[in-house]
Amino acid sequence: VGKQVSGRCYGYIDKAGWGAGYSEIIKENKLFEQYYREQKIVPEGEFEHFMETLREPLPATFRITGYKSHAKEILHCLKKYFKEVQDIEIDGQKIEAPQALSWYPDELAWHTNMSRKIIRKSPLLEKFHQFLVSETESGNISRQEAVSMIPPLLLKIEPHHKILDMCAAPGSKTAQLIEMLHSDMDVPFPEGFVIANDVDNKRCYLLVHQAKRLNSPCIMVINHDASNIPRFQVDCDGKKDILFYDRILCDVPCSGDGTMRKNIDVWKKWTTSNSLQLHGLQLRIAVRGVEQLAVGGRMVYSTCSLNPVEDEAVIASLLEKSEGALELADASADLPGLKWMPGITSWKVMTRTGEWYSDWSEVPVSRHTQIRPTMFPPTDREKLKEMKLERCMRILPHHQNTGGFFVAVLVKKAAMPWNRRYPKVEELKRPCLTAATEDAGSADLESASVDPELGECPQEATSGKDGVCGPPPSKKMKLFGFKEDPFVFLAEDDPVFAPIQNFYNLSPSFPKPCVLTRTHEGKKRHLYMVSKELRNVLLNNSERMKVINTGVKVWSRNNDGEQFGCAFRLAQEGIYTLFPYIGARIVNVSVEDIKVLLTQENPYLNKLESDAYAQAKKLEMGSIVLRYQPDQQNPSMPQCPIELCGWRGKTSIRAFVPRNERLHYLRMVGVEVFQSKQGKGPEPAVEGEPVAAVPEDSGEMEVDGGEEEKVAETDTPSHGGADGGDGEKCSPSAGPHPGTQDEAVPS
C-alpha cells in the first residue's frame, strides 16, 4: 500500500504540505467502509465520525527524549515557545497552542494542528519550527506519530532488561527503548541492552542514524529476517548459554490502513488481499518472538492496521499454539488517559471481490492457498473465552484525533509446547542469563549435538580470532547490501591505553575490554565503547549474526596530539559514557563561559571568567572536558549538568560540539539563534537578546576518505575525521534525514 518497503506502508507526502499533489486522490473507498461496518470494530453510532476523522490530516506529534538529564530543561524551553505561539492570529484565526498527550508520562509528548502552510506565515512560528528541526537533529526531540509511542510504554522497561526489537526501522520506537534503559543517567552502562533488527539492509542505516543521536553504548543494529532471526548465545562462567530476552517488541509489517490520514495512497489502493497476504508472515514473526522470550518476559505485538485478520487473528492463533504458555496481560490501567476499544472475539474474512466467510469450513478448496484456518476466530467458545481477547487494545482515530493502531501485551508463563520435549539443565537457571527461568532451547548445550531450534551445532558460533567479531562468511549466510567493517576489541594491554590512561587519569574501574575499533590494520582512527553485555553477544555470535552498527565513539585520533601527551581527543558523542571515569583535564565553567565558548570560534583564555581561566591556565595543551554544574540557588539557570568536549590551545580554548548541539546548549542558557531565511545570517529571536554568532563549521564532521586529524595553525585541532565503517557519513550540521512511517523529521 503506498510505497511498500519490507512489507511496511509509506505514502507519498508532498513537501508543500497537506492538499498539494493529492487533488487526484479522493478519500473514498466503498469496500473499506463495507468491510469495517461489517466487522463492527467501531461502536454503534460512531461510524460516520470515524470516517470523517480518517479524511482529516493527522496532527503533528513529537516527543522529548526522556532519558537525557536535561529533558526538563527542553520541556521548559518548549513551554516558553508555546506561550508565545498561543497569542498569534493568522488570517483572523487564533493559533491553537500545542497540547501535551494526556496519557504520555511527564508531559514528554505533544501534538499540534499547525500545518507547514501556517508555519510559513509567521516569523514566530518559523522560529518554533527551526527549534524543532534543530532539537530533532541533536536527538533531544523525536517527531513520532502518537499511537506509535504506545508499544514501548507497555513493555515496562527496566535498566537491566535485555530487549529485542524485531522489526525496528525506522527507529523511533527503538529510541524510546534506549531512553528507558538509561532512565538513571548516573549509570553509564546499564546491565540491559537493545538489539534492534530489520530485514531491509538500507533501512538499517536509517535505524543507525536514529539510534546514534542518543549516544548509547547499549544498542546494536542487526540485519536479519525477523521470522527466522537466529538464536544467539552468550558466555556465562566459561560455558555457552542461549540468550533469552526479557522484553520483545514485535511491531510487524502490516497493511497500514490505520495510517490513512497520513498515507493518502491507502484510500485508493486498500483491499482485503493486503491483510490476507501478510497474516502468515505476521504470525511467523510473532512465533519466532515468543520462542526467544524468557519465561516471565513480556512481548508487545503491534500493527498500524485496524484489520482483525492482522490483529486478533494472529494473537488468537499464537495463544492457541502456546497451549497455555502465553497469556494476554491486562494493560487497561497502564496508560491512564488513553482511549481504546477492547479486542473483538468475532470477525469474518472477506476476499478481494467482496465474498465473506465466517468459518474455515465455508472456504472452498480453490481458496485454501489465500485463506488459512488461523485467520478465523477459534470455534471452541470455551477456549475463546479463556483467551481474553478483550485485553487487546484497538485505538480508533476519532477518539483522540490520532492514527489507527492495535496493540496486545503477551506474558510468557512457560516454555512453548514444541520445545518442552527437549532436556533442561539446572545450570541454565544461573543469574547471568535473565532473571526469569529459561525456556526451550535451554537444552543442555554441553551435551546436545544439535540445537533443536537452530538445527545446527550450537558450539560453532564462537568468537573470531583475537576478540574480533565480523560479518558471517558467505557460505553460512548470504550478505546483502554493504559489507561492514569488523568489530575489533582491544586487549587490556594494548599500547594505545597507556597514554590515554595517563593523560585523562582514567579510573581503575574503566572497562578496557569494552573498547573496540573498526579496523584490523593501520592506525586506529576512532575508539568506540559497548557495554560488557553487548560485548558478550558480539564475541559469541560472529558466525550467525550480521551486525550493522554498535558502540558509541569515545575518542578520535589527532596525530599531532602526541606532542601534547595523547594522540586521542575526546569525542562529544561519548562524553556522557566516558565522563564518570575521567579524573583529569576537566575545566569547570559557568553559564557565561558556555555562552563565550559556543558563540566564538576560538576565544582567548582570558575571555573566560576568573575561575575557569585559572583552571585552564594550569592545563597543558590538548583535549579537555568543559563541565557545568547546576546551582540550585539560582533556578533561572539550567538545573542539569552539562559536559562538553573542548581543546586547550596555546592561548585560546575551544568547544568541540556539533552545530545543532551548540544551538541546543545555547537555548538552555538563554541565547537564541534564529535564521530568518536559508543562507542569510542569524537574526534576534527574542527582543533585546544578543544573537549567537555560531560558527558554521563547528562540530565533529564525519568525512569519508580516511584522512587523519591534524592540528590547525590556530593551535586547535581541525574537526575533520574519518569513520571506518559506521554506514553513515553525514555532517552534524547537515539537514535532517527524511523520516518514514511512524516518525517524520521536520523539513
Side-chain angles (χ1 to χ4, degrees):
V1 178
K3 181 183 177 188
Q4 193 117 8
V5 183
S6 303
R8 293 210 186 189
C9 158
Y10 307 89
Y12 302 95
I13 302 297
D14 190 293
K15 285 187 179 178
W18 285 99
Y22 281 113
S23 54
E24 75 283 1
I25 295 181
I26 298 166
K27 296 176 184 176
E28 295 286 346
N29 188 309
K30 295 299 179 190
L31 196 64
F32 175 89
E33 290 192 43
Q34 179 193 342
Y35 184 77
Y36 282 113
R37 279 188 191 275
E38 189 69 26
Q39 298 288 22
K40 296 183 172 58
I41 64 162
V42 180
E44 195 75 33
E46 295 183 18
F47 197 84
E48 292 308 320
H49 187 196
F50 165 73
M51 290 303 300
E52 284 167 15
T53 305
L54 283 176
R55 295 185 183 100
E56 292 294 317
L58 192 66
T61 46
F62 54 89
R63 184 174 53 77
I64 299 169
T65 56
Y67 84 78
K68 299 231 172 180
S69 57
H70 47 259
K72 285 182 182 175
E73 299 294 329
I74 301 167
L75 181 59
H76 176 74
C77 210
L78 266 177
K79 287 183 173 179
K80 186 181 74 175
Y81 279 107
F82 297 162
K83 203 168 184 180
E84 295 171 3
V85 164
Q86 68 188 5
D87 298 324
I88 295 175
E89 282 194 13
I90 291 177
D91 298 337
Q93 283 194 326
K94 196 173 180 182
I95 295 297
E96 185 184 327
Q99 301 292 318
L101 296 178
S102 61
W103 46 267
Y104 201 96
D106 304 322
E107 290 189 304
L108 291 178
W110 295 72
H111 70 105
T112 172
N113 281 311
M114 287 184 287
S115 69
R116 289 193 181 103
K117 194 175 178 182
I118 290 173
I119 283 170
R120 287 195 182 94
K121 291 187 176 184
S122 163
L124 266 178
L125 289 181
E126 177 62 25
K127 184 184 76 170
F128 172 55
H129 182 246
Q130 284 190 19
F131 166 80
L132 287 182
V133 170
S134 176
E135 294 294 322
T136 298
E137 195 58 18
S138 53
N140 300 308
I141 284 177
S142 180
R143 288 285 301 268
Q144 183 177 353
E145 195 173 327
V147 289
S148 160
M149 303 174 192
I150 295 169
L153 294 175
L154 294 178
L155 277 171
K156 297 185 176 179
I157 302 291
E158 300 286 339
H160 63 276
H161 283 155
K162 296 166 178 63
I163 307 159
L164 173 64
D165 189 349
M166 300 186 77
C167 309
S172 48
K173 296 184 190 73
T174 312
Q176 279 178 275
L177 301 176
I178 298 169
E179 291 162 24
M180 292 169 184
L181 269 187
H182 289 273
S183 57
D184 183 354
M185 280 299 288
D186 292 330
V187 180
F189 291 102
E191 286 180 35
F193 55 75
V194 177
I195 293 180
N197 175 71
D198 203 83
V199 68
D200 188 290
N201 181 269
K202 289 180 181 175
R203 280 163 46 84
C204 281
Y205 292 95
L206 180 62
L207 184 52
V208 168
H209 176 70
Q210 282 286 86
K212 266 191 151 187
R213 296 186 307 184
L214 293 168
N215 300 326
S216 169
C218 304
I219 168 73
M220 181 192 293
V221 175
I222 62 173
N223 181 203
H224 291 276
D225 174 1
S227 65
N228 196 27
I229 195 166
R231 188 184 285 290
F232 300 134
Q233 295 171 16
V234 287
D235 183 86
C236 190
D237 299 333
K239 293 184 179 180
K240 294 285 189 293
D241 280 332
I242 291 175
L243 170 64
F244 290 89
Y245 301 95
D246 303 292
R247 298 291 187 266
I248 293 180
L249 177 55
C250 186
D251 183 47
V252 295
C254 67
S255 63
D257 60 15
T259 69
M260 293 174 104
R261 300 180 68 179
K262 181 175 66 174
N263 297 328
I264 305 183
D265 277 7
V266 179
W267 284 98
K268 185 172 64 175
K269 298 186 177 181
W270 186 91
T271 74
T272 56
S273 59
N274 298 318
S275 54
L276 299 180
Q277 289 163 6
L278 285 165
H279 169 88
L281 174 65
Q282 292 162 338
L283 184 54
R284 288 195 304 277
I285 292 173
V287 166
R288 192 59 181 150
V290 294
E291 284 175 347
Q292 301 211 15
L293 187 64
V295 173
R298 287 166 82 91
M299 182 175 96
V300 168
Y301 175 89
S302 61
T303 75
C304 49
S305 169
L306 300 170
N307 198 326
V309 171
E310 300 177 64
D311 299 341
E312 285 92 346
V314 173
I315 296 299
S317 180
L318 200 56
L319 291 170
E320 195 164 17
K321 287 173 185 289
S322 80
E323 297 177 7
L326 299 173
E327 74 172 29
L328 276 169
D330 181 359
S332 58
D334 290 352
L335 295 177
L338 178 68
K339 294 179 183 174
W340 51 276
M341 295 300 298
I344 58 176
T345 55
S346 174
W347 63 88
K348 296 190 277 188
V349 176
M350 187 175 83
T351 66
R352 183 171 187 162
T353 51
E355 296 153 295
W356 288 95
Y357 301 105
S358 301
D359 188 82
W360 168 247
S361 61
E362 300 173 4
V363 182
V365 175
S366 61
R367 292 198 180 272
H368 279 192
T369 53
Q370 292 91 36
I371 299 176
R372 303 301 302 150
T374 52
M375 296 176 182
F376 294 92
T379 50
D380 185 330
R381 303 307 296 175
E382 196 57 39
K383 190 183 287 185
L384 183 63
K385 188 178 178 184
E386 288 172 6
M387 287 181 179
K388 299 177 180 172
L389 290 179
E390 67 277 1
R391 289 183 171 178
C392 297
M393 304 165 79
R394 180 176 277 103
I395 290 88
L396 298 177
H398 64 293
H399 284 167
Q400 284 180 306
N401 198 13
T402 64
F405 206 71
F406 175 88
V407 63
V409 183
L410 293 154
V411 175
K412 189 170 182 177
K413 295 294 187 184
M416 301 304 286
W418 52 90
N419 299 139
R420 288 176 190 154
R421 64 182 182 277
Y422 295 105
K424 300 261 176 66
V425 285
E426 288 302 311
E427 288 178 354
L428 293 179
K429 295 180 183 177
R430 291 191 300 268
C432 52
L433 266 176
T434 60
T437 305
E438 303 306 340
D439 136 79
S442 28
D444 184 346
L445 291 179
E446 298 302 312
S447 60
S449 60
V450 175
D451 182 326
E453 292 196 12
L454 293 169
E456 58 185 319
C457 177
Q459 301 294 345
E460 283 182 7
T462 56
S463 61
K465 294 179 182 175
D466 304 321
V468 176
C469 175
S474 56
K475 65 178 182 179
K476 293 260 181 178
M477 188 187 307
K478 198 169 180 182
L479 284 174
F480 297 96
F482 304 103
K483 186 175 186 295
E484 283 298 319
D485 291 341
F487 297 83
V488 186
F489 284 95
L490 304 188
E492 289 195 57
D493 59 355
D494 192 295
V496 81
F497 281 125
I500 290 176
Q501 181 106 34
N502 293 334
F503 193 71
Y504 296 105
N505 188 21
L506 292 184
S507 158
S509 63
F510 177 73
K512 291 180 184 176
C514 296
V515 178
L516 62 89
T517 185
R518 298 298 302 273
T519 179
H520 284 291
E521 299 166 359
K523 287 186 175 179
K524 301 169 181 70
R525 289 181 305 212
H526 301 289
L527 301 181
Y528 303 84
M529 288 190 77
V530 295
S531 65
K532 71 176 193 291
E533 289 79 12
L534 269 188
R535 179 184 186 273
N536 194 345
V537 176
L538 266 170
L539 288 177
N540 286 286
N541 298 280
S542 62
E543 298 293 310
R544 62 177 55 177
M545 76 191 309
K546 184 182 176 189
V547 181
I548 298 296
N549 191 273
T550 192
V552 61
K553 188 197 299 179
V554 288
W555 283 291
S556 288
R557 178 175 287 280
N558 156 228
N559 270 357
D560 292 347
E562 289 179 19
Q563 63 184 287
F564 313 127
C566 183
F568 286 89
R569 67 169 176 80
L570 299 163
Q572 183 66 30
E573 296 100 301
I575 193 61
Y576 286 96
T577 298
L578 205 53
F579 185 78
Y581 302 103
I582 295 176
R585 310 292 303 173
I586 299 167
V587 176
N588 290 299
V589 294
S590 67
V591 164
E592 291 306 312
D593 292 329
I594 290 177
K595 290 179 183 179
V596 168
L597 288 161
L598 296 183
T599 57
Q600 298 184 26
E601 176 66 20
N602 235 10
Y604 287 111
L605 289 173
N606 59 15
K607 291 287 186 75
L608 299 177
E609 293 191 334
S610 56
D611 283 356
Y613 175 73
Q615 296 169 62
K617 282 288 283 182
K618 292 176 185 174
L619 297 177
E620 298 295 324
M621 287 176 65
S623 188
I624 57 172
V625 183
L626 301 157
R627 189 183 200 211
Y628 165 79
Q629 286 280 61
D631 177 7
Q632 294 181 343
Q633 305 303 315
N634 189 353
S636 64
M637 293 292 105
Q639 291 300 301
C640 62
I642 296 172
E643 281 110 32
L644 307 176
C645 293
W647 186 269
R648 155 73 156 96
K650 288 176 189 171
T651 57
S652 63
I653 192 165
R654 177 177 180 171
F656 252 17
V657 183
R659 177 173 174 77
N660 280 308
E661 287 195 42
R662 283 184 178 236
L663 301 183
H664 162 70
Y665 289 120
L666 282 170
R667 289 190 191 100
M668 283 180 67
V669 296
V671 179
E672 286 292 351
V673 175
F674 175 41
Q675 202 96 6
S676 62
K677 287 184 182 175
Q678 199 168 3
K680 292 196 176 180
E683 295 178 2
V686 179
E687 197 174 336
E689 180 65 70
V691 179
V694 180
E696 283 295 328
D697 62 345
S698 304
E700 300 181 285
M701 299 174 70
E702 302 294 342
V703 181
D704 191 15
E707 299 154 11
E708 290 172 343
E709 295 191 285
K710 302 287 182 187
V711 173
E713 290 180 13
T714 57
D715 80 9
T716 60
S718 67
H719 43 269
D723 210 325
D726 285 328
E728 170 186 300
K729 299 175 178 69
C730 66
S731 150
S733 58
H737 286 223
T740 48
Q741 200 214 17
D742 53 6
E743 136 271 314
V745 179
S747 57

